[in-house]
Amino acid sequence: MMIVAKYPLSLTISFIFACVLLCLSFLASLTFGVADIAWLDLPQAFTAFDGSTSHLIITTIRLPRAIIALLVGGGLGVAGSLMQGITRNPLADPSILGINSGAVLAVVTMTFLLDNPSSNILGLFAFLGATLSAIAVYFFASLNKKGLSPLSLTLAGSTITVFCSSVTSGILILNQRTLDEIRFWLAGSITGRDIQFIKHIFPYFVIGLILALILARQITILSLGEETAKGLGQNTLLIKIGGMIAVILLAGSSVSLAGPIGFIGLIMPHLVRLLVGNDYRWILPFSILGGAILLLNADIVSRLIIKPQEVPVGLILPILGAPFFIYLIRKRIRG
């Protein structure tokens, strides 16, 4: 069975347009903020660096921030698409695996135990916590007599999320210092990371994206139903395991860089499917671009909305995503 995308020419044109929009959003992220940067300063900051304030802002603050928005937005978009395809649940996103709650618990615990740990150290523990919680969810979901299923994944994810959130709340209630030190990260923020830490996390993004793209055709078939996929000769267990590994790598890396940012993994797959249909060979590339564009522009808004102060980007995204989330729920109830 071949699942061929409709109107490949128009989708190719749309993909090129999205790439151009992504480039413009990236440049805008380097330009707009508390300190406005002239467009002409952008190339000069990289080709004729003179140590001026504007050049320092571009190279040491805004460039890492824009790269993080690019990686995290794209990673969460793909992770959300994979989760919805594997679980066949339109309301699924990476948090269904307890990734966010596991990362938050790890960061809160390390902040409680250590004296003022660096943001890079917290990022590494966030990735570790996200990975361990996702593995725990996968293990408990597999104990089901019927094997790994969308329902068992959802139930196990909800259980781990509640447990991690309860422990996290207990630590924060008992220790005000911990809450004060990571308040900004808990809200979801792409600031405070340097290029070296991005380099450490970058390989996980690359591996996760490559694995997701390799599985694109199989995920398309699996999204039609498990029985259908098995009838077409697909090893559904291996597809789920491979897809979950990709989700863990992408979402875990994203949380380690930016904290528990929500809604991108939920809304982006739906927006992309409206454009490209149900073929994951198109959904995943467009989710990369769409998620990155969304987070880059949300970050720009977070800098300008109450200028000269900044709002964590994790607080801006729910404003955009909540109405869409309500729409999905109403549609599910009516459907």
Side-chain angles (χ1 to χ4, degrees):
M1 178 180 178
M2 291 289 292
I3 299 177
V4 182
K6 298 179 179 179
Y7 317 118
L9 179 60
S10 64
L11 290 181
T12 302
I13 295 173
S14 298
F15 186 81
I16 295 173
F17 175 79
C19 290
V20 173
L21 183 57
L22 176 61
C23 293
L24 293 175
S25 299
F26 190 88
L27 293 176
S29 180
L30 298 178
T31 304
F32 297 111
V34 175
D36 290 328
I37 303 295
W39 286 94
L40 293 177
D41 285 339
L42 293 181
Q44 293 177 359
F46 301 102
T47 60
F49 183 80
D50 60 10
S52 63
T53 301
S54 59
H55 287 188
L56 285 171
I57 291 174
I58 292 172
T59 56
T60 62
I61 298 177
R62 292 190 183 170
L63 180 61
R65 187 167 179 168
I67 292 174
I68 290 173
L70 181 71
L71 294 175
V72 171
L76 290 177
V78 172
S81 297
L82 289 176
M83 283 301 305
Q84 292 178 15
I86 292 171
T87 64
R88 302 189 302 281
N89 180 357
L91 300 180
D93 72 351
S95 62
I96 197 174
L97 283 179
I99 288 176
N100 285 2
S101 59
V104 171
L105 175 58
V107 169
V108 168
T109 302
M110 288 303 103
T111 305
F112 174 71
L113 295 176
L114 303 179
D115 184 20
N116 194 25
S118 69
S119 59
N120 289 349
I121 292 295
L122 291 181
L124 291 174
F125 277 104
F127 182 79
L128 179 61
T131 302
L132 291 177
S133 63
I135 292 174
V137 169
Y138 210 73
F139 172 76
F140 289 118
S142 301
L143 297 179
N144 182 31
K145 292 182 179 180
K146 297 182 179 180
L148 195 65
S149 68
L151 179 59
S152 63
L153 271 174
T154 302
L155 293 176
S158 300
T159 302
I160 294 297
T161 297
V162 170
F163 171 78
C164 292
S165 298
S166 299
V167 177
T168 299
S169 297
I171 295 174
L172 293 177
I173 290 173
L174 294 174
N175 192 278
Q176 183 66 34
R177 176 188 64 82
T178 302
L179 176 60
D180 292 338
E181 289 184 8
I182 63 170
R183 190 191 304 272
F184 207 76
W185 184 88
L186 287 173
S189 172
I190 60 176
T191 62
R193 299 288 189 269
D194 57 35
I195 291 293
Q196 290 303 317
F197 182 65
I198 297 174
K199 289 180 179 179
H200 291 315
I201 298 297
F202 182 73
Y204 299 107
F205 277 103
V206 173
I207 296 172
L209 288 175
I210 291 175
L211 181 58
L213 293 174
I214 290 174
L215 293 172
R217 182 177 179 276
Q218 286 76 14
I219 296 294
T220 302
I221 298 174
L222 182 61
S223 67
L224 301 176
E226 191 155 348
E227 295 301 322
T228 300
K230 289 181 178 179
L232 294 171
Q234 299 297 316
N235 189 327
T236 57
L237 179 59
L238 287 180
I239 295 172
K240 290 177 183 178
I241 292 175
M244 291 304 175
I245 291 174
V247 170
I248 291 171
L249 290 171
L250 293 171
S253 301
S254 298
V255 174
S256 70
L257 282 175
I261 291 180
F263 284 102
I264 293 179
L266 172 65
I267 66 176
M268 189 49 59
H270 292 278
L271 295 176
V272 168
R273 277 194 289 267
L274 291 175
L275 176 65
V276 307
N278 295 316
D279 190 340
Y280 275 77
R281 290 172 295 182
W282 286 99
I283 289 175
L284 296 183
F286 272 92
S287 294
I288 297 172
L289 297 176
I293 292 170
L294 176 59
L295 189 54
L296 280 166
N297 287 280
D299 183 49
I300 294 172
V301 173
S302 73
R303 306 177 204 175
L304 301 178
I305 191 169
I306 57 171
K307 189 178 178 179
Q309 293 182 320
E310 293 188 10
V311 177
V313 69
L315 300 181
I316 298 296
L317 287 168
I319 297 175
L320 304 174
F324 190 77
F325 184 73
I326 295 172
Y327 164 76
L328 287 178
I329 294 177
R330 289 174 61 86
K331 185 177 180 180
R332 288 279 289 177
I333 293 175
R334 291 176 180 176

